[in-house]
Amino acid sequence: METLLIKGGARLSGQVVISGAKNASLPAIAAALLTEGTVNLSGVPGLHDIFTMCELLESVGVTAKWGPGCLSLDAGEASPRETSYSLVRRMRASFLIAGPMLARFGFARMPMPGGCAIGSRPIDLHLKAFSAMGAELSAESGYIQARAPKGLRSAHIYFDYPSVGATENAMMAAALAKGSTILENAAREPEIVDLANLLTKMGAKVVGAGTGVIRIQGVDELGGASHTVIPDRIEAGTYMTAAAITKGDVILGNVVPEHLTAVIAKLRELGVCVEVEESEIRVSSETRSRAVDIKTMPYPGFPTDLQAQFMALLSLAEGMSIITETVFENRFMHVDELTRMGAKIKIDGRSALVEGVDKLSGAPVSATDLRAGAALVVAGLAACGETEVVNIGHIDRGYEHIEEKLNSLGANIVRRSVPKERGASAQTAS
Ligand code: UD1
């Protein structure tokens, strides 16, 4: 069992290069199932979630090869096999292979997905889209089966909520459906646009990605393509909070500033200096941050995946902040852990009231999910004394070389192997 031991107090400074986006890479890998051609992806980060996705594709006959800076996927020999629960339970995004499988083979049988325990995360919107495209669905013994023996047909689909995963699954399914599909109230995240760009390179006809209405004209077949995934805006946002909480001066390379508009606006409201270049952002701070209110929303609103890290930052700000989580219920599991470090936070329904304190104290804490874990690392960087984060398997799902990157900026973080009883009491399904 590994832990991260953080000696707090160092002011971060220097330059850090942001990795390719996990959440753009996962659907891009799934999209390789749509074609017999080879899909070459550059910039895919070496993360546990990515390896899980590759294993999942390999389990249905895809060949995945890692070369220098490139992941090559060849689904020429893939076939519609049932996927194993042990793989799918590790990661909710596993369900992203259902759309491509159904579109190419007319069949998908998947266990209900797992993932971070951050509230009820149903897949009804994915299933509604498949059903509208003519798939017959059945559920038994924890498995969902979808069949479309004669292929999928076009549909006019309205999403009750702009779900990222459901939009991605529907786009991939519609790419090979007969006719023209319209997705209304579609998610507008940059990862959706990135997937549309990849699908277009593969020969798909997609218009409107990045807006609430996406139109996809189905084609008979798709071909191979080469694509570089977008930078990880959530990793970037996490390093921005780390720079701010340590009153540091950090330049982030390989970023798309327009993907971070809400985050930059909030940091500036906090009193943090953010300077923006074409693909670089400099974050510096010399004074204590001011309290601000934050409400998570679908893109272009403030991302739920940065709520926990901003809570860590605001726990040291001057005044009272209100953080409202509207995307996921139960995404406040980091509150108890931050409180153990001296933060003053009260939960009131979907809001957390954060009363800024003068200092946080290092403590043993547990990463309950991916972004909660990142928040504890951010808090530990500014805390007095040592913070030991256990359950860091969650952090490794989403952050490439986190301690190397932070240490290169002057942090003092050591990854340690400890006996199991000193580590996590319960490693929740990730
Ligand atoms: C993706 C991201 C995740 C991020 C989330 C919201 C990936 C791999 N993961 O997750 O990091 O936190 O977007 O930005 O890209 N919902 C339903 N029914 C459904 C699907 C979703 O009710 O069929 C609800 C969810 O329970 C949740 C909300 O919609 O409350 C948002 O979920 P969704 O946008 O689907 O998130 P993911 O695609 O799972």
Side-chain angles (χ1 to χ4, degrees):
M1 174 80 39
E2 291 185 324
T3 71
L4 289 179
L5 185 66
I6 306 160
K7 203 183 255 177
R11 181 172 186 265
L12 298 191
S13 73
Q15 203 154 3
V16 64
V17 177
I18 298 305
S19 299
K22 167 180 87 76
N23 287 352
S25 301
L26 292 169
I29 294 170
L33 273 167
L34 287 165
T35 174
E36 287 182 10
T38 303
V39 173
N40 297 309
L41 299 173
S42 301
V44 175
L47 295 169
H48 288 193
D49 274 10
I50 299 294
F51 302 139
T52 301
M53 195 59 146
C54 289
E55 251 184 272
L56 193 63
L57 260 69
E58 283 168 337
S59 77
V60 295
V62 176
T63 307
K65 278 194 203 135
W66 288 88
C70 180
L71 171 64
S72 292
L73 300 150
D74 182 341
E77 301 295 319
S79 57
R81 295 171 223 169
E82 176 177 307
T83 46
S84 98
Y85 175 60
S86 66
L87 275 175
V88 172
R89 70 182 281 276
R90 285 194 225 157
M91 186 180 67
R92 178 179 163 82
S94 314
F95 204 67
L96 286 175
I97 73 167
M101 295 276 285
L102 188 56
R104 177 152 159 225
F105 303 114
F107 178 84
R109 185 171 155 83
M110 302 273 308
M112 305 281 276
C116 279
I118 54 173
S120 147
R121 300 182 80 177
I123 47 166
D124 57 316
L125 299 173
H126 302 241
L127 299 180
K128 263 169 95 174
F130 297 155
S131 170
M133 285 188 252
E136 291 159 23
L137 304 174
S138 57
E140 49 156 23
S141 316
Y143 278 75
I144 300 277
Q145 187 163 300
R147 279 180 176 280
K150 292 185 187 147
L152 294 171
R153 57 166 190 262
S154 62
H156 194 138
I157 297 162
Y158 172 78
F159 289 115
D160 294 324
Y161 186 90
S163 155
V164 176
T167 302
E168 291 166 345
N169 241 334
M171 281 165 72
M172 292 188 278
L176 287 179
K178 287 183 194 82
S180 176
T181 296
I182 300 176
L183 309 179
E184 302 248 24
N185 199 23
R188 294 189 275 162
E189 270 69 2
E191 292 75 16
I192 301 285
V193 178
D194 204 43
L195 176 62
N197 289 340
L198 168 62
L199 291 172
T200 303
K201 288 177 191 172
M202 292 168 71
K205 308 227 173 310
V206 186
V207 178
T211 75
V213 183
I214 303 177
R215 290 183 164 77
I216 302 136
Q217 176 67 48
V219 295
D220 290 341
E221 60 174 31
L222 295 170
S226 295
H227 182 69
T228 302
V229 296
I230 53 170
D232 196 314
R233 63 195 168 98
I234 305 302
E235 188 198 22
T238 303
Y239 285 101
M240 289 162 89
T241 57
I245 203 169
T246 61
K247 301 197 182 76
D249 185 353
V250 172
I251 295 173
L252 295 96
N254 189 37
V255 287
V256 180
E258 66 183 78
H259 294 169
L260 287 154
T261 305
V263 178
I264 293 169
K266 278 294 155 192
L267 281 173
R268 286 183 174 150
E269 222 179 302
L270 267 128
V272 176
C273 176
V274 185
E275 292 162 66
V276 173
E277 300 285 335
E278 203 182 316
S279 60
E280 268 186 14
I281 297 179
R282 180 176 178 181
V283 180
S284 59
S285 173
E286 284 177 3
T287 52
R288 189 175 176 191
S289 299
R290 290 189 291 269
V292 299
D293 293 343
I294 289 178
K295 192 186 248 189
T296 65
M297 310 264 270
Y299 190 86
F302 188 90
T304 174
D305 284 352
L306 286 172
Q307 178 256 105
Q309 300 88 316
F310 267 72
M311 190 180 291
L313 178 56
L314 290 172
S315 69
L316 281 172
E318 187 148 18
M320 171 79 84
S321 306
I322 302 176
I323 300 180
T324 306
E325 173 58 58
T326 75
V327 179
F328 290 109
E329 48 186 270
N330 194 24
R331 200 173 197 177
F332 281 141
M333 288 183 301
H334 41 285
V335 168
D336 284 347
E337 303 303 302
L338 289 171
T339 304
R340 300 185 66 242
M341 298 176 74
K344 278 198 184 163
I345 307 169
K346 267 194 215 146
I347 298 177
D348 181 12
R350 289 204 142 193
S351 294
L353 314 180
V354 185
E355 188 185 332
V357 293
D358 292 339
K359 68 166 194 154
L360 294 175
S361 310
V365 286
S366 175
T368 48
D369 65 64
L370 166 53
R371 306 304 171 184
L376 297 174
V377 173
V378 169
L381 290 170
C384 300
E386 287 186 347
T387 297
E388 185 159 30
V389 187
V390 303
N391 264 333
I392 62 168
H394 287 299
I395 299 175
D396 291 333
R397 288 181 52 198
Y399 291 89
E400 200 175 34
H401 310 307
I402 187 163
E403 71 273 27
E404 285 95 329
K405 284 188 177 182
L406 287 169
N407 286 343
S408 77
L409 296 172
N412 188 338
I413 306 180
V414 179
R415 182 178 287 257
R416 301 206 299 183
S417 288
V418 296
K420 202 163 186 184
E421 59 275 18
R422 281 212 41 227
S425 53
Q427 177 95 34
T428 47
S430 52

